[in-house]
């Protein structure tokens, strides 16, 4: 199977330009290789009983090679990749796998989990996927899994983690990478957040706190600040819905992660950029090549689209006319509308600010 | 041998069945034989549908013609944390419409994580003559106009509970729509509403409803008004205050205290937004009566919280912010020997450094001192295997254990090992554990433990954990009673999923986001398992049909259903439809 045209799945590539992204898809792109991997595992170890379930990952219309009968699993558990991985391990470090008893056949396995975070430094031939058992380099990955010395930098420090990953990769193993793409930042609060690191980088939906609580605490912290109680540490988040005419679904952004209109604007552009550029149908569209940021901005700030918001009074206003703090206080939701529809807005904005002055 | 069973008239069986209320027992009865199925379905009064897409309204109405009470849940749990896009689904409207025509005597509707419109609320208010209970938990899509219709038309309303719903707050006037003749209210929870409600309307309402037992106000109700309201509802058992702050006025304080004392049945307090230390002691006179205290919005410093909590010797449930700190939890462990449930929420979850002295020690103290402790939700910044093992040994009666170590993948801070052994001890010792949420650094090993020991586990939440498919496989193959599994950011993929496809039909649902499941596997699963809906939430790249099979899905929600593909899938939810 030829190398598939892989759209940058996370959009991370926008930051780091990922040739490795393509390489990783090679590993899993051909189902036939996946199933042959499967059968080789079966020969060595046992017991995931794929045959019984009759479900295998194969090309539609083809049958994967029949699996040999599975061996009964031992008491210590199932060894899915076990022997293969063990044989390719060059480490017999008894401290590996974080100091557990070595009854598990997977003791030396610390298979890479992240699929997304790659830097240019990654050697594409070192298999990143658990599936790719045949890849001998997995052994070296396992070296990394020495829990004893394993300390991760905080997720939040995205810059630090970027450096950390680089460093570890150079050390020859594949890092158990952080979910950098999940990190939202000033630039984009996209679930796939492809972002330059930001001061307040947050993972979407983590820690798991309900929006109701977050919003309650957010207004709590501003209140406390007003009363001069030394500004209790608060949640400081303010989620508003963002819709864009023509986009398939709404998003939410946390206004508190931005400090000015420029940040907000560029985040929204990134978040919705693929919707503005023709259709993103067959995945062949790569945002990173072709359209520069400035032309994106032109698209949004030109006659094509206009950023508007609904304020506390229920009126729709153009974004950008009032001071930022006033905006965040009164903004209830955002809408990226087609320029043609926004024509009626301008005079009202003038009216309103006149009446407010 | 006389065939007695055949001699029983249906009415007798029906009478016997009427003593059986639990859903599981009722379901079991209906499986005995065809005639029992028939009798049972005609006399079932209450139904719980854990996933509104598992069955269709038409099917429910057809099978159970005489329902009086229905509970429905919509969106997946992770919708609470913004992982499910807007307009995903969970619409209550088709259900309300079906019930409006089929059940004129419907009395109770309870919805969780569903989307409900004002039109539906109006339909409810007009269709059910004896409508009594409306509970909307984490719902959205409606406004105070819809509430006005309920207030105006539901003459026998007993319970109106809007807990944590997102209500478009057009004004507070809806409350005035309760007619003067209205007397039946027993429970009112408006704590989620943003805008002010007219206190006159509230007072009038309370004066007219002598049976009011539960009142949860919203933040906008000032402390001074609380006194009047309490005066009008002497039978309160549960109270949620509004903002618990005001200028420090001794007469307000003493009035408040007196008002608390005047409610002789008062056992449960919540609200306490912006709680001022000055006013907390107003609660002391009734502290020994309190069994439930929700201080999770009280951003008060530790000493005041501790003092209050220490006074409440009969406390069974405490929700509090981490301002209570380890020292406060130690005091809790000494004072509150009847504590059953503890939830500690983070005051600064996004900060990089700890802002309070709350660590694993607090939880360990409580596990040592409180023999009845069964339910824990705990946010903290550090944990150790030793602590978890201690907690497990102390509290084998634990049934719900949710630990959130704020930083993803954080190891045992003492040994820098993963927390596999610690959580392993939890599942090993706590044999009745039904709900578990994991966090911290975890390898496949912890899932091996969970699969081996977690035999009663019904719900498992996993984030940033595991090394390979084996982790998922352990859980799916080992946890016999697993109903809900939600996973994010774990390297679980096709193999474990496909190998355990049959298991998925025994569960309510499986959520996987940011894992390693490919489109190909989703297609295959959808193809082979017609009684599962395998829904992929697609992103900007476009529908999976256009993608290579190997591409990974970002969000996947699989649930069993007898209703086939749902009709209301938005454009960004894809489901396998054909070869």
């Amino acid at each position: 199977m030829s190398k598939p045209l892989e759209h940058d799945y996370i959009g991370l590539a926008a930051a780091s330009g990922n040739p490795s992204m393509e390489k990783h898809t090679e590993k899993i792109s051909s189902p036939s290789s996946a199933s042959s991997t499967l059968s080789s595992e079966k020969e060595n170890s046992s017991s995931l009983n794929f045959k019984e379930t009759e479900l295998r990952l194969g090309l539609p219309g083809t049958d994967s090679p029949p699996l040999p009968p599975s061996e009964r699993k031992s008491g210590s558990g199932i060894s899915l990749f076990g022997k293969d991985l063990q044989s390719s391990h060059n480490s017999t470090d008894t401290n590996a796998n974080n100091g557990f008893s070595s009854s598990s056949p997977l003791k030396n396995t610390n298979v890479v989990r992240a699929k997304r975070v790659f830097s240019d430094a990654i050697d594409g031939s070192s298999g990143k996927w658990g599936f790719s058992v045949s890849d001998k380099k997995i052994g070296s990955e396992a070296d990394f899994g020495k829990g004893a010395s394993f300390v991760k930098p905080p997720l939040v420090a995205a810059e630090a983690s970027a450096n950390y990953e680089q460093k570890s990769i150079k050390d020859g193993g594949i890092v158990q990478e952080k979910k950098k793409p999940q990190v939202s930042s000033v630039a984009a609060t996209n679930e796939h957040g492809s972002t330059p690191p930001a001061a307040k980088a947050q993972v979407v939906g983590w820690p798991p706190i309900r929006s109701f609580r977050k919003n309650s605490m957010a207004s709590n912290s501003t209140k406390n600040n007003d009363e001069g109680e030394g500004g209790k540490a608060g949640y400081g988040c303010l989620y508003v819905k963002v819709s864009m005419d023509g986009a398939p679904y709404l998003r939410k952004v946390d206004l508190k992660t931005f400090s000015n209109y420029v940040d907000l604007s560029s985040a929204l552009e990134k978040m919705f950029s693929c919707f503005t550029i023709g259709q993103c149908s067959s995945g062949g569209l790569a945002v990173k090549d072709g359209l520069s940021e400035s032309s994106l901005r032109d698209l949004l700030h030109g006659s094509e689209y206009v950023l508007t918001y609904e304020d506390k009074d229920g009126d729709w206003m153009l974004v950008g006319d009032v001071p930022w703090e006033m905006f965040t206080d009164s903004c209830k939701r955002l809408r990226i509308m087609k320029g043609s529809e926004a024509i009626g807005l301008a005079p009202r904005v003038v009216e309103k600010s006149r009446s407010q002055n | 041998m006389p065939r007695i069973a055949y001699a029983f008239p249906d009415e007798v069986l029906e009478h016997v069945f009427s003593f059986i209320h639990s859903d599981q027992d009722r379901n079991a009865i209906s499986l005995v034989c065809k005639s029992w199925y028939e009798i049972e379905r005609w006399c079932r009064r209450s139904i719980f549908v854990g996933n509104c897409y598992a069955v269709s309204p038409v099917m429910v109405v057809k099978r159970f013609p005489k329902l009086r009470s229905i509970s429905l849940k919509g969106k997946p749990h992770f919708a609470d944390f913004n992982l499910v896009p807007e307009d995903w689904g969970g619409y209550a409207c088709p259900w309300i419409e079906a019930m409006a025509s089929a059940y004129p005597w419907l009395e109770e509707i309870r919805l969780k994580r569903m989307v409900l419109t004002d039109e539906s609320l109006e339909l409810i208010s007009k269709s059910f003559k004896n409508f009594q209970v409306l509970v909307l938990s984490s719902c959205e899509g409606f406004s105070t106009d819809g509430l006005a219709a309920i207030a105006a038309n539901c003459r026998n309303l007993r319970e109106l509970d809007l807990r944590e719903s997102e209500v478009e707050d057009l004004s507070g006037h809806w409350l005035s729509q309760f007619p003067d003749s209205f007397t039946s209210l027993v429970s009112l929870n408006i704590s989620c509403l943003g805008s002010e409600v007219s206190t006159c309307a509230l007072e009038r309402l309370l004066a007219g409803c002598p049976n009011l037992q539960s009142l949860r106000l919203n933040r906008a109700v000032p402390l001074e008004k609380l006194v009047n309201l309490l005066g009008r509802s002497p039978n309160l058992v549960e109270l949620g205050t509004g903002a618990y702050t005001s200028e420090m006025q001794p007469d307000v304080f003493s009035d408040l205290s007196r008002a608390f004392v005047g409610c002789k049945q008062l056992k449960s307090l919540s609200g306490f937004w912006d709680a001022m230390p000055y006013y907390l002691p107003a609660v002391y006179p009734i502290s020994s009566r309190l069994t439930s205290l929700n201080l999770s919005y009280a951003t008060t410093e530790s000493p005041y919280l501790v003092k209050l909590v220490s006074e409440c010797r009969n406390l069974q449930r405490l929700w509090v912010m981490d301002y209570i700190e380890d020292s406060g939890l130690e005091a809790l462990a000494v004072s509150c020997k009847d504590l059953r449930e503890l939830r500690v929420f983070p005051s600064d979850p996004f900060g990089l450094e700890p802002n309070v002295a709350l660590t694993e020690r607090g939880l360990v103290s409580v596990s040592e001192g409180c023999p009845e402790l069964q339910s824990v939700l705990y946010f903290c910044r550090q944990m150790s295997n030793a602590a978890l093992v201690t907690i497990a040994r102390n509290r084998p009666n634990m049934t719900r254990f949710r630990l959130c170590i704020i930083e993803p993948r954080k190891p045992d801070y003492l040994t820098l090992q993963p927390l596999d052994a610690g959580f392993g001890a939890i599942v090993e010792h706590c044999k009745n554990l039904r709900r578990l949420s994991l966090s911290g650094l975890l390898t496949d090993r912890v899932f091996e433990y969970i699969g081996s020991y977690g035999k009663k586990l019904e719900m498992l939440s996993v984030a940033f954990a595991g090394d390979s498919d084996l982790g998922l496989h352990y859980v799916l193959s080992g946890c016999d009673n697993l109903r809900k599994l939600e996973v994010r950011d774990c390297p679980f993929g096709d193999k474990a999923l496909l190998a355990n496809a049959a298991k998925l039909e025994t569960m309510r649902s499986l959520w996987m986001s940011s894992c390693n499941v490919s489109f190909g596997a989703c297609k295959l699963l959808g193809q082979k398992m017609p009684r599962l809906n395998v829904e992929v939430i697609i992103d900007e790249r476009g529908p999976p049909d256009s993608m290579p099979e190997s591409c990974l899905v970002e969000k996947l929600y699989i649930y069993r259903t007898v209703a086939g593909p749902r009709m209301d899938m938005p454009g960004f939810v894809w489901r396998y439809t054909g070869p």
Side-chain angles (χ1 to χ4, degrees):
Chain A
M1 195 179 194
S2 60
K3 192 184 346 180
L5 250 190
E6 180 77 76
H7 179 57
D8 177 40
Y9 177 58
I10 300 311
L12 214 221
S16 56
N18 266 333
S20 50
M21 201 69 192
E22 291 140 8
K23 289 182 186 141
H24 101 80
T25 56
E26 272 181 60
K27 287 295 164 196
I28 52 168
S29 63
S30 48
S32 51
S33 73
S35 52
S36 60
T37 300
L38 206 58
S39 44
S40 68
E41 288 161 27
K42 280 294 155 190
E43 279 149 26
N44 290 337
S45 58
S46 61
S47 64
L48 255 198
N49 266 338
F50 291 115
K51 179 150 206 231
E52 284 179 16
T53 60
E54 291 184 2
L55 281 172
R56 280 162 247 140
L57 191 56
L59 285 168
T62 65
D63 277 325
S64 316
L67 303 170
S70 51
E71 300 148 38
R72 221 37 287 180
K73 47 182 159 245
S74 65
S76 65
I78 295 111
S79 52
L80 171 52
F81 307 108
K83 303 247 171 86
D84 274 0
L85 290 176
Q86 280 187 305
S87 63
S88 61
H89 287 173
N90 50 24
S91 163
T92 51
D93 184 356
T94 52
N95 284 334
N97 214 31
N98 315 306
F100 296 118
S101 70
S102 42
S103 58
S104 165
L106 286 182
K107 65 174 172 143
N108 283 334
T109 303
N110 234 327
V111 178
V112 171
R113 72 171 71 110
K115 57 186 179 299
R116 294 186 190 86
V117 185
F118 300 97
S119 73
D120 298 344
I122 290 180
D123 175 4
S125 66
S126 56
K128 300 166 192 48
W129 296 96
F131 290 127
S132 318
V133 174
S134 49
D135 185 348
K136 302 214 176 2
K137 285 253 177 121
I138 287 185
S140 62
E141 292 164 21
D143 292 350
F144 177 72
K146 290 174 191 144
S149 57
F150 182 67
V151 180
K152 281 193 150 320
L155 183 70
V156 179
E159 280 144 322
S161 74
N163 294 336
Y164 178 73
E165 282 148 19
Q166 293 278 0
K167 182 173 178 309
S168 307
I169 284 149
K170 284 172 190 141
D171 290 342
I174 303 297
V175 180
Q176 280 181 352
E177 290 134 346
K178 295 244 194 278
K179 289 291 183 187
K180 210 163 108 179
Q182 289 293 338
V183 170
S184 67
S185 69
V186 170
T189 32
N190 190 333
E191 285 87 346
H192 315 297
S194 69
T195 68
K200 185 178 177 176
Q202 293 177 22
V203 178
V204 173
W206 189 266
I209 296 164
R210 288 181 161 185
S211 328
F212 179 74
R213 181 169 292 278
K214 275 198 228 178
N215 290 338
S216 294
M217 299 311 296
S219 41
N220 207 44
S221 64
T222 48
K223 274 198 169 100
N224 285 342
N225 285 335
D226 293 343
E227 289 164 0
E229 281 179 24
K232 281 212 172 53
Y235 288 36
C237 87
L238 197 61
Y239 277 94
V240 296
K241 296 184 186 181
V242 187
S243 62
M244 175 164 171
D245 295 351
Y249 54 88
L250 301 182
R251 306 271 195 160
K252 273 186 175 168
V253 289
D254 177 2
L255 288 182
K256 297 269 165 133
T257 57
F258 311 115
S259 41
N260 56 51
Y261 285 116
V262 174
D263 292 343
L264 171 66
S265 172
S266 53
L268 292 177
E269 281 158 19
K270 284 219 169 69
M271 193 186 289
F272 287 96
S273 58
C274 80
F275 301 132
T276 63
I277 303 154
Q279 309 309 312
C280 282
S281 52
S282 64
L285 181 64
V287 173
K288 61 183 154 91
D289 24 274
L291 227 40
S292 67
E293 273 214 17
S294 55
S295 49
L296 271 180
R297 202 163 287 137
D298 291 341
L299 204 57
L300 268 178
H301 286 175
S303 59
E304 188 71 48
Y305 289 96
V306 165
L307 184 57
T308 63
Y309 72 102
E310 184 182 9
D311 73 0
K312 284 196 165 119
D313 304 326
D315 299 319
W316 286 92
M317 322 270 284
L318 288 175
V319 166
D321 290 328
V322 302
W324 174 254
E325 284 74 24
M326 199 183 299
F327 166 69
T328 53
D329 268 343
S330 62
C331 172
K332 276 181 19 182
R333 59 188 296 168
L334 290 164
R335 181 174 160 203
I336 304 173
M337 8 175 125
K338 289 217 158 68
S340 46
E341 288 190 32
I343 290 174
L345 289 183
R348 286 169 84 201
V349 170
V350 173
E351 290 279 322
K352 224 175 157 102
S353 49
R354 240 189 255 138
S355 62
Q356 276 167 358
N357 288 344
Chain B
M1 170 116 177
R3 286 146 79 96
I4 300 173
Y6 290 61
F8 269 10
D10 290 358
E11 295 80 25
V12 175
L13 278 174
E14 193 175 318
H15 183 66
V16 171
F17 294 170
S18 70
F19 293 101
I20 297 170
H21 303 293
S22 121
D23 288 323
Q24 281 169 328
D25 290 342
R26 280 276 181 160
N27 290 344
I29 288 174
S30 66
L31 291 174
V32 166
C33 63
K34 277 199 178 134
S35 68
W36 280 37
Y37 175 93
E38 276 302 308
I39 296 166
E40 194 281 321
R41 79 181 184 92
W42 278 92
C43 68
R44 178 121 37 149
R45 292 284 175 261
S46 166
I47 194 173
F48 167 75
V49 181
N51 173 6
C52 65
Y53 291 118
V55 68
S56 72
V58 167
M59 288 163 137
V60 170
V61 161
K62 193 165 166 219
R63 180 174 169 188
F64 300 112
K66 299 269 182 190
L67 289 183
R68 297 276 166 92
S69 159
I70 185 160
S71 298
L72 296 170
K73 291 189 179 179
K75 298 186 203 174
H77 175 235
F78 274 178
D80 286 350
F81 315 127
N82 270 341
L83 289 177
V84 177
E86 302 294 306
D87 305 326
W88 172 87
Y91 301 110
C93 184
W95 289 89
I96 311 281
E97 281 171 1
M99 296 189 297
S101 46
Y103 303 132
W105 296 108
L106 191 72
E107 295 170 0
E108 304 181 357
I109 294 177
R110 294 179 172 84
L111 304 177
K112 186 165 185 180
R113 274 184 224 109
M114 294 194 77
V115 178
L116 184 66
T117 59
D118 286 344
E119 288 72 32
S120 294
L121 283 170
E122 205 173 320
L123 190 59
I124 291 173
S125 75
K126 299 206 167 126
S127 309
F128 309 117
K129 301 301 167 204
N130 195 27
F131 194 68
Q132 299 175 20
V133 172
L134 183 63
V135 177
L136 302 175
S137 180
S138 304
C139 294
E140 58 173 353
F142 61 101
S143 77
T144 43
D145 286 351
L147 299 178
I150 296 283
N153 299 321
C154 298
R155 297 299 157 90
N156 294 322
L157 193 69
R158 282 191 295 119
E159 212 174 305
L160 178 60
D161 186 341
L162 304 175
R163 55 180 85 155
E164 299 198 344
S165 290
E166 223 174 279
V167 185
E168 198 181 338
D169 216 331
L170 300 175
S171 83
H173 294 313
W174 67 274
L175 207 64
S176 319
Q177 297 300 310
F178 282 109
D180 289 335
S181 54
F182 181 68
T183 58
S184 49
L185 201 63
V186 172
S187 171
L188 180 66
N189 179 354
I190 54 168
S191 54
C192 62
L193 294 183
S195 65
E196 279 185 47
V197 290
S198 146
T199 31
C200 282
L202 260 179
E203 284 173 6
R204 188 168 58 87
L205 184 64
L206 300 189
C209 296
N211 298 319
L212 192 70
Q213 291 182 358
S214 175
L215 176 65
R216 294 188 210 262
L217 303 166
N218 62 339
R219 195 176 193 164
V221 175
L223 196 57
E224 297 85 352
K225 302 282 178 172
L226 183 62
V227 176
N228 295 342
L229 295 171
L230 285 177
R232 285 162 201 264
S233 32
N235 295 324
L236 276 187
V237 176
E238 289 177 347
L239 171 70
T241 73
Y244 202 73
T245 178
S246 179
E247 285 177 19
M248 303 201 286
Q249 301 163 60
D251 41 342
V252 173
F253 181 99
S254 54
D255 287 345
L256 187 60
S257 211
R258 213 171 306 129
F260 281 140
V261 172
C263 295
K264 302 213 181 296
Q265 317 292 330
L266 198 52
K267 292 208 286 244
S268 163
L269 290 179
S270 59
F272 292 109
W273 277 284
D274 318 311
M276 280 183 72
Y278 178 79
Y279 282 108
L280 281 180
V283 175
Y284 291 176
I286 60 162
S287 52
S288 58
R289 278 198 245 134
L290 293 179
T291 56
S292 170
L293 195 52
N294 181 350
L295 294 166
S296 63
Y297 295 102
T299 51
T300 326
E301 300 290 349
S302 175
Y304 309 103
L305 289 178
V306 174
K307 185 113 200 322
L308 173 56
V309 157
S310 308
E311 298 268 326
C312 300
R313 303 198 167 256
N314 292 310
L315 211 54
Q316 294 176 10
R317 181 197 297 153
L318 176 66
W319 292 21
V320 70
M321 296 209 76
D322 57 7
Y323 290 123
I324 196 166
E325 300 191 330
D326 289 338
S327 53
L329 292 176
E330 277 158 30
L332 179 71
V334 168
S335 309
C336 305
K337 292 303 183 187
D338 207 19
L339 194 72
R340 320 236 167 126
E341 178 180 333
L342 174 68
R343 296 194 191 190
V344 178
F345 294 94
S347 51
D348 185 22
F350 306 119
L352 301 180
E353 297 298 325
N355 62 321
V356 291
L358 181 101
T359 67
E360 82 284 5
R361 284 193 286 280
L363 186 56
V364 173
S365 315
V366 178
S367 76
E368 274 163 4
C370 302
E372 307 293 333
L373 186 71
Q374 316 168 347
S375 172
V376 167
L377 169 62
Y378 199 77
F379 284 81
C380 61
R381 288 176 186 273
Q382 66 182 42
M383 187 49 64
S384 65
N385 282 310
L388 284 171
V389 170
T390 305
I391 292 166
R393 292 212 172 111
N394 287 339
R395 296 274 64 80
N397 53 333
M398 191 79 73
T399 55
R400 291 179 186 83
F401 190 75
R402 292 191 278 166
L403 179 67
C404 179
I405 302 163
I406 287 176
E407 187 191 317
R409 301 197 185 95
K410 191 155 190 203
D412 176 327
Y413 76 101
L414 294 171
T415 63
L416 301 180
Q417 305 290 325
L419 292 170
D420 299 341
F423 279 106
I426 295 277
V427 287
E428 186 186 346
H429 291 279
C430 307
K431 302 206 188 298
N432 288 317
L433 195 70
R434 294 199 307 269
R435 183 167 182 183
L436 178 64
S437 298
L438 305 173
S439 57
L441 181 66
L442 297 164
T443 71
D444 284 343
R445 201 53 191 271
V446 73
F447 299 108
E448 194 181 348
Y449 291 137
I450 291 172
S452 306
Y453 293 113
K455 295 305 180 189
K456 297 260 178 80
L457 199 61
E458 294 176 7
M459 182 168 177
L460 179 65
S461 307
V462 186
F464 305 105
D467 310 311
S468 74
D469 272 63
L470 216 49
L472 180 59
H473 176 70
Y474 283 136
V475 171
L476 290 178
S477 57
C479 296
D480 300 329
N481 281 299
L482 194 64
R483 291 189 296 116
K484 287 182 280 185
L485 177 61
E486 45 188 26
V487 179
R488 62 164 296 176
D489 293 274
C490 298
F492 300 151
D494 299 346
K495 288 190 176 150
L497 196 60
L498 296 176
N500 291 285
K503 171 74 174 178
L504 299 177
E505 275 190 8
T506 69
M507 291 165 56
R508 182 187 297 174
S509 65
L510 168 64
W511 168 278
M512 293 180 74
S513 57
S514 308
C515 297
N516 295 351
V517 180
S518 72
F519 286 134
C522 295
K523 274 193 202 174
L524 193 57
L525 206 55
Q527 210 175 350
K528 300 283 185 182
M529 311 286 294
R531 285 185 307 193
L532 291 180
N533 278 351
V534 179
E535 294 183 4
V536 173
I537 293 175
I538 61 180
D539 48 29
E540 297 85 7
R541 291 170 301 158
D545 314 72
S546 56
M547 312 298 301
E549 304 248 320
S550 55
C551 278
L552 301 179
V553 309
E554 178 59 26
K555 292 179 183 174
L556 173 63
Y557 186 52
I558 301 174
Y559 55 91
R560 66 176 173 187
T561 180
V562 292
R566 57 179 172 118
M567 297 303 173
D568 59 6
M569 285 197 302
F572 57 86
V573 174
W574 173 90
R575 188 192 181 280
Y576 172 81
T577 43

